[in-house]
């Protein structure tokens, strides 16, 4: 198929608001490799935006989906339930770092998981207010856009947004925001904008995804838990991007020891490429809505549930948490070696295989999306696909499948070394 012709068809048939990063079209993919319509081969360090921790078309995912396809594709769980949904919920209740008994429910997208976390928090507390953070990304629906702390490209022209949503500051060393200042910004909201007795939930990302892979310090998470306990507020951890072995733990919240969230959202790599999201939380909180208050026509689709169960098996059997630690350490070593010869690189952030580098213009000292794009293009020209992120678009994040073969990973690191050197 002619690529130029296909591009013209895309522009004529689909709205410009659905932007496309690359100018080629996927033909097939396997594990960490993607081929385009022209037969060109790329190493995929984007993983469909953190969806493919277990790689493209893992054989066990394919097998599980095919087996379910032979049984049934849809009943709507709220109409006729199926055992696999219950099994998946039971497994996640056991795995999630939640205090006491836990319960899980499923949806289709990450935004749905976050919206339902807010619904449940409001139902459980009888309050309406929600506090989120600068640089946060929680989805593209009206409520989750309100929760998101980045205007372009997500929020421009789409308001007004739902009310009772307030943004505090997230700790960020590069932007000069300390843990103390971030926590104080919440206290300032209590004095200036909303009484803590009116706040249902504080929603935060243990590692900000679109915000630039900023890692929440232990003292910050401890402080959030203290504030929530003091005022009867529920703490919601958005793990849509950080979950399922990416950080070297099943959930990033495991890094915070005894400090736990009341609710945890999940999506992306849970489904191994199929659309499914979930919400796990303390049983008494999850039970707050009345029967019928939660659900969705496609929520917990049986094909996606089958895939998710296979994903959990793969993570355990192939020891992907341990592998995430190993691969992440190798990548960080390469980045640290390159940093001395790359004046634009100002920071390396990593937790397991959730790794990112940030670039500023060496002349001005300001964040540079242009330099970041140049590195991306040079990598792509050499066959390596990379994603950017960050409020200023000056961060490259590395989202390779954790199942990537060692030889291919070393090949990708070689490309990265050359790109950063040049």
């Amino acid at each position: 198929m002619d690529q130029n012709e296909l591009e013209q068809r895309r522009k004529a048939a689909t709205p410009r608001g659905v932007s496309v990063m690359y100018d080629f079209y996927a033909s097939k993919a396997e594990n960490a490799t993607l081929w385009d319509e022209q037969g060109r081969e790329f190493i995929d360090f984007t993983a469909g935006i953190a969806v493919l921790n277990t790689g493209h078309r893992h054989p066990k995912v394919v097998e599980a989906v095919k087996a379910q396809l032979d049984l049934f594709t849809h009943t709507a769980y709220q109409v006729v339930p199926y055992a696999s949904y219950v099994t998946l919920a039971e497994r996640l209740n056991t795995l999630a770092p939640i205090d006491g008994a836990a319960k899980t429910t499923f949806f289709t997208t990450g935004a749905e998981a976050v919206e339902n976390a807010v619904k449940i928090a409001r139902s459980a507390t009888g309050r309406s207010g929600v506090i989120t953070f600068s640089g946060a990304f929680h989805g593209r629906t009206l409520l989750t856009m309100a929760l998101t702390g980045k205007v372009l490209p997500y929020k421009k022209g789409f308001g007004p947004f739902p009310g009772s949503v307030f943004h505090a500051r997230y700790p960020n060393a590069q932007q000069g925001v300390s843990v103390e200042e971030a926590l104080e910004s919440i206290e300032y909201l209590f004095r200036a904008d909303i009484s803590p007795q009116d706040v249902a939930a504080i929603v935060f990302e243990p590692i900000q995804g679109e915000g630039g892979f900023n890692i929440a310090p232990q003292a910050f998470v401890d402080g959030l838990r203290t504030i929530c306990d003091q005022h009867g507020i529920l703490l919601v951890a958005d793990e849509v991007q950080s979950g399922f072995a990416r950080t070297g733990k099943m959930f990033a919240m495991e890094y915070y020891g005894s400090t736990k969230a009341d609710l945890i959202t999940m999506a992306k790599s849970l489904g191994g490429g199929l659309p499914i999201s979930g919400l796990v939380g303390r049983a008494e909180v999850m039970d707050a809505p009345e029967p019928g208050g939660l659900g969705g026509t496609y929520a917990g689709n049986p094909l996606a549930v089958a895939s998710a169960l296979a994903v959990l098996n793969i993570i355990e059997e192939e020891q992907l948490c341990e592998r995430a630690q190993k691969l992440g350490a190798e990548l960080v070593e390469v980045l640290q070696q390159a940093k001395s010869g790359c004046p634009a690189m100002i920071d390396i952030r990593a937790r397991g295989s959730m790794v990112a580098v940030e670039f500023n213009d060496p002349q001005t000292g300001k964040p540079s999306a242009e330099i970041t794009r140049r590195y991306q293009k040079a990598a792509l020209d050499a066959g390596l696909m990379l994603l950017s992120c960050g409020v200023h678009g000056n961060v490259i994040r590395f989202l390779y499948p954790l199942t990537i073969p060692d030889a291919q990973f070393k090949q990708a690191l070689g490309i990265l070394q050359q790109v950063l050197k040049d």
Side-chain angles (χ1 to χ4, degrees):
M1 183 178 297
D2 182 80
Q3 182 170 303
N4 292 330
E5 178 187 350
L6 189 54
E7 183 66 4
Q8 291 304 312
R9 287 171 53 196
R10 179 186 72 82
K11 290 178 179 179
T14 65
R16 65 179 187 136
V18 183
S19 63
V20 173
M21 181 175 175
Y22 292 121
D23 63 355
F24 56 84
Y25 289 75
S27 173
K28 62 177 181 176
E30 195 79 27
N31 201 353
T33 306
L34 184 145
W35 291 267
D36 72 0
E37 291 278 357
Q38 280 68 49
R40 294 180 300 175
E41 182 177 316
F42 300 93
I43 302 174
D44 186 0
F45 267 37
T46 71
I49 316 181
V51 166
L52 300 167
N53 288 355
T54 54
H56 291 278
R57 300 181 64 254
H58 193 288
K60 291 183 178 178
V61 168
V62 173
E63 180 184 4
V65 174
K66 284 182 176 178
Q68 180 59 49
L69 194 61
D70 286 337
L71 300 176
F72 59 93
T73 62
H74 179 75
T75 66
Y77 177 78
Q78 302 97 288
V79 178
V80 180
Y82 29 94
S84 57
Y85 183 113
V86 177
T87 300
L88 182 59
E90 289 172 335
R91 292 188 64 176
L92 290 169
N93 292 341
T94 301
L95 291 169
I98 295 289
D99 269 336
K103 290 190 175 184
T104 297
T105 185
F106 299 108
F107 306 99
T108 310
T109 67
E112 282 183 273
V114 174
E115 288 220 5
N116 279 276
V118 172
K119 285 169 55 178
I120 290 173
R122 286 175 168 171
S123 179
T125 63
R127 306 171 180 183
S128 60
V130 183
I131 293 174
T132 61
F133 295 90
S134 57
F137 179 83
H138 297 293
R140 294 176 182 267
T141 61
L142 277 176
L143 177 57
T144 53
M145 278 192 292
L147 300 175
T148 291
K150 182 179 178 181
V151 173
L152 290 172
Y154 307 115
K155 301 171 77 167
K156 183 181 178 182
F158 294 130
F161 300 108
S164 298
V165 174
F166 304 88
H167 289 89
R169 305 178 78 187
Y170 192 95
N172 189 315
Q174 293 301 322
Q175 295 176 17
V177 181
S178 68
V179 168
E180 293 75 17
E181 289 168 325
L183 294 174
E184 174 56 30
S185 71
I186 299 175
E187 298 295 341
Y188 182 80
L189 288 177
F190 292 159
R191 294 191 297 271
D193 292 306
I194 185 170
S195 165
Q197 283 69 45
D198 293 327
V199 177
I202 294 177
V203 182
F204 83 107
E205 296 163 277
I207 304 176
Q208 288 192 323
E210 295 296 318
F213 280 25
N214 303 306
I215 302 170
Q218 179 77 48
F220 177 63
V221 181
D222 290 346
L224 293 181
R225 185 70 268 174
T226 298
I227 290 171
C228 288
D229 291 343
Q230 181 181 353
H231 299 292
I233 299 169
L234 294 175
L235 185 61
V236 180
D238 183 342
E239 292 235 32
V240 167
Q241 188 159 166
S242 60
F244 301 100
R246 172 56 55 184
T247 67
K249 303 280 189 183
M250 187 66 76
F251 293 95
M253 281 302 297
E254 294 176 55
Y255 282 97
Y256 299 101
S258 60
T259 302
K260 293 181 169 60
D262 300 297
L263 299 166
I264 299 175
T265 65
M266 64 192 94
K268 289 191 180 286
S269 278
L270 169 62
L274 273 72
I276 186 172
S277 65
L279 175 62
V280 61
R282 293 194 289 118
E284 66 272 21
V285 174
M286 293 291 289
D287 276 339
E290 295 290 333
L294 303 176
T297 302
Y298 291 102
N301 171 268
L303 296 174
V305 167
S307 181
L309 286 167
V311 164
L312 296 183
N313 290 339
I314 293 162
I315 291 173
E316 180 181 352
E317 294 166 4
E318 300 186 17
Q319 299 182 316
L320 294 189
C321 288
E322 293 82 357
R323 184 158 177 78
Q325 298 281 10
K326 173 182 178 293
L327 296 179
E330 292 177 13
L331 172 56
V332 168
E333 183 179 358
V334 166
L335 294 173
Q336 288 175 335
Q337 291 172 353
K339 192 172 186 292
S340 60
C342 182
M345 190 190 303
I346 63 164
D347 197 23
I348 302 166
R349 296 186 285 275
R351 181 150 274 176
S353 278
M354 200 162 179
V355 183
V357 291
E358 185 167 356
F359 300 97
N360 280 3
D361 187 326
Q363 304 301 318
T364 66
K366 295 181 178 180
S368 177
E370 175 57 33
I371 289 175
T372 305
R373 285 192 293 269
R374 290 209 301 265
Y375 283 126
Q376 278 184 284
K377 184 179 185 307
L380 184 65
D381 290 343
L384 177 62
M385 298 166 57
L386 299 173
L387 277 179
S388 62
C389 61
V391 173
H392 301 284
N394 67 320
V395 179
I396 287 178
R397 51 183 158 168
F398 303 93
L399 291 170
Y400 44 84
L402 302 176
T403 51
I404 184 172
D406 288 337
Q408 190 177 31
F409 190 67
K410 292 186 184 303
Q411 180 188 356
L413 294 187
I415 293 171
L416 191 60
Q417 283 177 309
Q418 190 62 47
V419 165
L420 293 173
K421 179 182 178 181
D422 292 343

